[in-house]
Amino acid sequence: MQLKHKIVALGILPLLLAVAIICALVLLQNQRLGEQQVQLIESAILSSKQAELKNYVAMALSVIAPLHDGGRGDAAAQKQALDVLGKISFGEDGYLFVYDDRGRNLMHPRQAELVGRDLWHMTDIHGLPVIQALLKSAMSGDGFQRYSWRKPSSGQETDKLAYVTMLDGWGWMVGTGIYLEDIERATRQVRSEVASGIRATMIAIAGVTLIVVLVVFIGSLMLSIKEHRLADRKLQALNQRLLSLQEDERSRVSRELHDGISQLLVSIKFQFELAAHQLQRGASGGLDSLEQAIERLGGAIGEVRRISHDLRPSLLDTLGLSAAIGQLATEFEQRCGLTVVCRQQLGDAPLPDAVAVALFRIVQEALTNIERHARASLVQIDLAPSVDGVQLQVRDDGIGFDPRTIERMPGGIGLRNIRERIEHLGGQLSLSSSSEGSAMHVVLPVSAS
């Protein structure tokens, strides 16, 4: 994946996961609250209907109380009471019914075909013996019973809640009931409203999520473009610096060849020509001129070796890092007149070529910086193994510098090169400096093999 795609994925995927979890929690919470609300509404409606049924039955009993309480138990009083109860109705499907204690129907204003029939063994669609259950509820004093019964207005079997009570003396069970379609309709409406609320909440969350995703995508895209441009600028600056370093190195080598080797070779050429001319004439001094030319030729060879050593020391390839750094320290001590203490604990342990070259160049660059800027009299070089690889420490007793600003200075290329070499190999660099001297500590990782 490209960087911009990774940024977008890291920004959007956790957001989508969080939104999905929130949506699931909101959905579950709304469903739970919706069911609680349905149960509360159903319970409230049922309680209201139960109180209403009790009032209807109490009203009916109060109407026939003069006939019942007057002590008249004859058939005429009972027939008059049944006529009065049969005329009482409330609503489209509200009526009273009367049964005796043996399950025989005495009055049913909406289903006349049931009057006089023994319904003791009649069951509803669920297998419940309706009349037995009603009598049991009436005799127990609870009075409420749910069952299925044919609704007069629709002719369909519907759940019904009845309230019944026993009329003492006559052995009657008087009751009424309501069909529960109203409660079911109310609960369906509540569930529909809850579902609508959940849908509205999900749509709102989806809209907010879409907006946030677009914002994250646009922000990530802008950040990616900005970082891409910054990386391009850094790459251009790095390429320019590499080209400048290459040109500087070429200029240095060219200058050394022109001012050193070239002048020596020209001088040697003139010396050989002078010796040849003197020998041809038989003049004295020809042999001396030839010896001087040979001596200068040896100096030229030494200069070529020095330039070659600066480009890549031969000891690094033949004897290893310890010998190459030791030679570098010796040459630096002879050239600058400083005291160099070089302590090495690597022994003959082989190092990867990249690590060995990096450590050599770091020491070379550090000594160059000390020569130019430190004004030191003592330099200490410590090379030793570490837990993760190899460590190098270079100390001097010079005037010190400010590590925070030295790399930002136009001439701070040397230290920047050191840092880049170390970062390329995955190592660590630490600098410390004061008026009493400076120290550079380098750790480069080396595999156990």
Side-chain angles (χ1 to χ4, degrees):
M1 294 177 64
Q2 297 181 359
L3 177 61
K4 59 182 179 182
H5 295 156
K6 291 181 180 179
I7 294 175
V8 172
L10 290 174
I12 292 179
L13 291 181
L15 174 64
L16 294 179
L17 179 61
V19 170
I21 294 174
I22 291 173
C23 289
L25 293 176
V26 169
L27 181 62
L28 293 175
Q29 186 71 8
N30 283 346
Q31 288 178 345
R32 187 175 67 83
L33 293 177
E35 287 300 321
Q36 290 179 353
Q37 187 176 0
V38 167
Q39 293 175 3
L40 289 174
I41 292 176
E42 186 176 6
S43 176
I45 294 176
L46 194 59
S47 298
S48 174
K49 294 298 184 181
Q50 288 176 344
E52 185 178 349
L53 292 177
K54 282 186 175 182
N55 291 333
Y56 287 149
V57 173
M59 179 189 67
L61 293 179
S62 66
V63 171
I64 64 172
L67 299 174
H68 178 265
D69 296 339
R72 296 178 57 191
D74 55 0
Q78 293 180 357
K79 184 177 183 305
Q80 186 179 358
L82 291 175
D83 292 338
V84 172
L85 293 176
K87 295 177 182 179
I88 299 175
S89 64
F90 39 90
E92 185 178 5
D93 296 305
Y95 56 88
L96 294 168
F97 55 82
V98 181
Y99 289 84
D100 63 16
D101 54 6
R102 294 184 299 276
R104 185 170 63 90
N105 183 274
L106 301 179
M107 186 274 295
H108 200 296
R110 303 298 175 90
Q111 293 176 278
E113 68 274 10
L114 299 180
V115 177
R117 291 177 54 186
D118 183 3
L119 303 179
W120 181 260
H121 297 290
M122 186 185 71
T123 59
D124 63 1
I125 59 176
H126 303 297
L128 176 71
V130 177
I131 306 306
Q132 295 180 36
L134 288 172
L135 285 170
K136 182 179 179 180
S137 179
M139 293 176 181
S140 66
D142 176 56
F144 292 102
Q145 179 63 47
R146 294 185 68 161
Y147 57 95
S148 294
W149 194 266
R150 183 168 63 87
K151 189 176 183 180
S153 60
S154 64
Q156 302 294 327
E157 290 283 338
T158 307
D159 287 343
K160 185 175 182 178
L161 176 65
Y163 176 74
V164 291
T165 186
M166 297 302 296
L167 186 61
D168 296 333
W170 289 359
W172 287 3
M173 178 182 67
V174 181
T176 186
I178 58 170
Y179 295 93
L180 300 178
E181 285 183 341
D182 294 340
I183 299 177
E184 294 175 357
R185 190 180 302 112
T187 55
R188 284 197 302 269
Q189 182 179 359
V190 172
R191 287 191 174 94
S192 176
E193 292 176 355
V194 170
S196 299
I198 292 175
R199 284 195 298 271
T201 303
M202 293 297 109
I203 292 173
I205 293 176
V208 173
T209 303
L210 179 60
I211 295 174
V212 173
V213 168
L214 289 176
V215 171
V216 171
F217 178 78
I218 295 173
S220 301
L221 185 60
M222 294 177 63
L223 179 61
S224 176
I225 293 174
K226 181 179 178 182
E227 292 295 328
H228 187 68
R229 291 177 178 175
L230 181 60
D232 287 341
R233 288 197 296 269
K234 289 184 177 180
L235 183 60
Q236 291 176 359
L238 179 60
N239 290 334
Q240 185 63 38
R241 197 168 73 191
L242 289 176
L243 292 175
S244 299
L245 291 175
Q246 289 178 356
E247 291 300 324
D248 292 342
E249 187 66 16
R250 289 173 180 174
S251 298
R252 184 185 67 82
V253 175
S254 174
R255 187 168 54 253
E256 290 185 352
L257 291 175
H258 180 271
D259 297 341
I261 299 299
S262 178
Q263 298 296 329
L264 282 174
L265 292 178
V266 169
S267 174
I268 292 169
K269 177 179 178 293
F270 289 154
Q271 197 72 31
F272 275 121
E273 289 177 351
L274 176 61
H277 182 68
Q278 289 175 342
L279 291 175
Q280 287 177 358
R281 291 175 54 190
S284 62
L287 185 60
D288 294 336
S289 298
L290 186 59
E291 289 177 353
Q292 291 178 5
I294 293 173
E295 184 180 354
R296 291 183 182 180
L297 182 59
I301 293 172
E303 187 68 16
V304 171
R305 288 178 177 173
R306 184 188 64 79
I307 295 174
S308 175
H309 177 76
D310 289 341
L311 294 176
R312 182 177 176 89
S314 58
L315 286 178
L316 192 60
D317 297 323
T318 57
L319 299 181
L321 177 63
S322 298
I325 290 181
Q327 180 185 4
L328 184 64
T330 301
E331 293 176 353
F332 178 79
E333 187 175 29
Q334 294 173 355
R335 184 176 68 251
C336 301
L338 303 180
T339 302
V340 180
V341 178
C342 187
R343 293 189 291 264
Q344 304 177 30
Q345 302 177 25
L346 290 180
D348 297 331
L351 291 176
D353 185 66
V355 175
V357 172
L359 289 172
F360 179 81
R361 293 303 182 191
I362 290 170
V363 174
Q364 192 177 41
E365 194 70 48
L367 292 178
T368 301
N369 289 336
I370 292 173
E371 179 182 1
R372 292 178 180 175
H373 309 293
R375 303 178 192 174
S377 60
L378 175 65
V379 179
Q380 296 178 352
I381 302 174
D382 294 302
L383 187 63
S386 67
V387 177
D388 299 325
V390 60
Q391 61 180 350
L392 169 68
Q393 191 166 18
V394 180
R395 294 176 176 271
D396 66 75
D397 59 352
I399 60 175
F401 62 93
D402 186 359
R404 295 173 297 179
T405 60
I406 190 67
E407 291 187 69
R408 295 195 293 267
M409 296 175 61
I413 296 178
L415 186 57
R416 192 158 57 239
N417 290 339
I418 292 175
R419 187 179 296 278
E420 289 177 357
R421 286 181 184 273
I422 295 171
E423 290 178 353
H424 176 70
L425 295 174
Q428 298 177 355
L429 170 66
S430 60
L431 297 171
S432 61
S433 182
S434 66
S435 59
E436 298 178 355
S438 304
M440 176 178 66
H441 187 259
V442 177
V443 177
L444 294 182
V446 178
S447 62
S449 61

